[in-house]
Each structure stands twice: as C-alpha cells, then as structure tokens.
C-alpha cells in the first residue's frame, strides 16, 4: 500500500518551526490503515530543511538557529553566490548539512516518534514563502 | 515483507561508537530472507545520532567527537536552553546535523555496506543512558 | 516491485558535483514503470557524500566546498587519524554531516525533485577515484 500527498506549508519566518501536526494531519487516515510501514517527507527546496528534534522547549529551536547562524555566517568573503541576497548561500549550506527529508517508521497506525521528537521545518531564508513537501506513506 | 524490531542499546559514554553488530544481530534471520530491500534504523531520541562512517580505526571516531566539540561548543553565550546541563544543547545541534536515521540497501540477505562502512551511534550526552532504536526491514 | 543497480561513477576532483543524470539514466526504464514509490541512492564510502541541493549556479557548489573547508579544516591539532593524508579526516567529518544516502519520492515514472533540486556527489578526498553507488527503486 502506497499513498502520496503534496502539502503546501504556510509561510514562516526564518528559523526552526515544529510542523508535526501540519504534516501528519493530512496523512492521518492513510496512516491509520498501516500496521507496519514508513512515513517519508521530502521538501522540494534547497534553502529549507526538514529534520527531527526536541518538541517541547522553544528555546531549543532558537538556539539551533543562533548557532547555525554563527557556524554558517552571512557575507563570508569567499562566497561567490551572492546575487540572491546574503541569506541565500548560508541557506543552501544549512540545507546540505541538515537534510531535506525524513523517514519515520510506522506501527499500528502511528508514527514511532520518541516522546520528545517532533518534525522541524528549517526555514533558512528571510522570506522563503510557502514551502512544498511531498509525503509518501508505504506499508501493509 | 515487513519486519520491525525495537532494540535497546546498552548505555555508552559520550562519543561515537560502532554498533553494527548490536543493530544487525537481532535482525539477522529477517535479513536472511530478503533478496532485495531496505534496512532502516531510527533512534527515538533528540540528543543522540545514528550515522555511517569508517569501521576500522578508532581514532576516526575520537577525531569526529573532538571536532564536533569544537564546532558546536558547550556554554556558547547565546544558548538559552541551559537547564538540562551544558552538554544538552550541543547534543541537540549535533543530532540535527548528523541525523537520527539511516537507510541501508539489502541484497541477497546482506546489508550492502561498503568495505569500510559501519553504523555509528553518536552519544552526545555525558550520561545518555540506554538508547532505543527502531529497526524496520522491508523487501522481497 | 523492487529493482537495484550498482553505479560506478567516473572519478571526480575534490568538491561538489551534479550527478543527477549519471545516477538516473541507468534507472530510467525501471523508473518509468513506477506510478508511486521511492528512489534510494547509497554511496558505499566514508569520505564522499551524497545530497540534494541547487542544480543551476556552479558557484553554489564552489561556495559549499569553500565553507566546508573552513568549518572542517585540514591539520587540526587534535586530529589523531592523520596517516591517510591531511584530506582524509576532514572527508570523514564532512560525510558524517552531509550523509551518504538520499531518498527521493517517485510519481508517474518521475523523480519528484523540485525545480531547483539536483543530486550532488561530495567528493571530499583529493584523489578519491571512482565511487560506487547502490540505487534501489521500489514502488507499484
């Protein structure tokens, strides 16, 4: 059994955002029919990332953004790809490191996320707009 | 054909650890029945990572830990999420960058790892305790 | 339906390289028979990475290489794993961070890559030689 959905996220500010509910609500009825399988989410962009991290304290998401901005600064003197703005090249590097897809196991109609795990959108542009994610479910 | 296992790893010190044997031994008989498929391992935590890297020289794992500790230091002045200890926020950042899951192709009952590839647990807390991994196999 | 291919890439210089065509051409006829499924590519090495990023401007790939070389330098005083050359340990760290596999959803015989997404080989050694990738397709 395969099912696939396109989800258009609402636009968000630069930084990390919990999107667990927004991603899974569309797939809920498909999920509920799977006793064992996989949930895959793939963001069709190169300046926004998708990952799994702590779902409780919002300062985790703020600190992650703060540290990435230091580790991957804007306006590094060796950047050549500058014509899309100072936030663009760092956004590509962040996406390369964090990744653009996640794969979560399914059991008994539920995502097997740990207690403290949630799905993060990493919006790495200042004005990234609405991002598109392909969700593919597969199982039996 | 789908099979799923929960593996409770033994507790380990902070750093990178080869867990190929510990992960695959439980799944061995399921693996042996798959002629082509995928092996997925997912760690249900946000301060420990799972990845694939060099399986021979232990100094690779030590150097990886040393460099990550420099690249993602404790006690950065901009961290707000500090109440779980100085090792906690760096652990979340390391996990975001390295990832919490791997997907390895299967052929003829074997994982298609390269000669020098092994599976790493990245234990990013000082006292992380036992970590839980969901292994999902799927194939024909 | 499962299909699996081994692809031996032509040797490339250190840096990031677009390999979308080289990876997908072998799998084209298998792809065309899948209405919904997944395309998985796994590099069997620990000093070369595979990822998805911007497919147009070559300076994005050059800047990514330049920044990674700064973030993960050669000859760090704490590296112990030095006997394979100064480019070796940084190559393992880059691979740990970027990853060694990608999973792309398939619909109607096509990879669901975004308009600006391409598949990158990250060749992190000075003389890495030919790299081997396992492509596994699965769908209905």
């Amino acid at each position: 059994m395969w099912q696939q959905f396109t989800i258009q996220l609402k636009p968000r500010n630069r930084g990390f955002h919990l999107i667990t509910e927004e991603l899974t609500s569309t797939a809920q009825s498909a999920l509920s029919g799977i006793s064992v399988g996989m949930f895959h989410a793939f963001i069709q962009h190169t300046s926004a990332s998708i990952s799994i991290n702590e779902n409780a304290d919002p300062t985790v998401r703020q600190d992650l953004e703060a540290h990435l901005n230091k580790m991957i600064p804007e306006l590094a003197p060796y950047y050549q790809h500058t014509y899309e703005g100072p936030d663009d090249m760092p956004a590509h590097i962040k996406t390369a490191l964090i990744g653009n897809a996640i794969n979560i196991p399914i059991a008994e109609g539920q995502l097997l996320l740990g207690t403290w795990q949630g799905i993060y959108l990493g919006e790495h542009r200042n004005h990234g707009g609405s991002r598109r994610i392909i969700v593919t479910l597969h199982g039996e």
Side-chain angles (χ1 to χ4, degrees), chain A residues 25-111:
Chain A
S25 58
T26 311
Q28 205 57 57
S29 77
L31 248 183
S32 66
I34 297 177
S35 64
V36 53
M38 297 296 300
F39 173 98
H40 183 259
F42 180 92
I43 194 163
Q44 286 186 311
H45 304 271
T46 63
S47 58
S49 64
I50 182 163
S51 59
I52 292 173
N53 219 302
E54 211 257 27
N55 61 13
D57 185 348
T59 62
V60 170
R61 304 193 285 282
Q62 294 164 17
D63 290 1
L64 184 53
E65 171 72 7
H67 186 66
L68 286 177
N69 287 341
K70 187 170 158 61
M71 205 172 82
I72 304 157
E74 297 191 354
L75 302 170
Y78 42 82
Y79 292 155
Q80 304 170 76
H81 180 80
T82 54
Y83 67 91
E84 295 188 67
D87 56 321
D88 187 62
M89 193 57 225
H92 290 306
I93 302 175
K94 292 168 184 172
T95 302
L97 296 176
I98 299 174
N100 77 327
I102 53 169
N103 233 342
I104 304 173
I106 300 169
E108 310 302 336
Q110 307 279 343
L111 295 184

Side-chain angles (χ1 to χ4, degrees), chain A residues 2-3 18 21 24 43 48 60 81 89 98-99 105 120 122 134-135:
Chain A
W2 289 87
Q3 294 211 44
L18 262 181
E21 290 305 310
T24 57
I43 194 163
V60 170
H81 180 80
M89 193 57 225
I98 299 174
Y120 280 19
I134 309 296
V135 170

Side-chain angles (χ1 to χ4, degrees), chain A residues 5-7 9 19 23 41-43 50 131-135:
Chain A
F5 306 90
T6 300
I7 294 173
L9 296 178
I19 58 166
L23 265 200
F42 180 92
I43 194 163
I50 182 163
R131 302 298 197 165
R132 197 164 56 248
I133 293 184
I134 309 296
V135 170

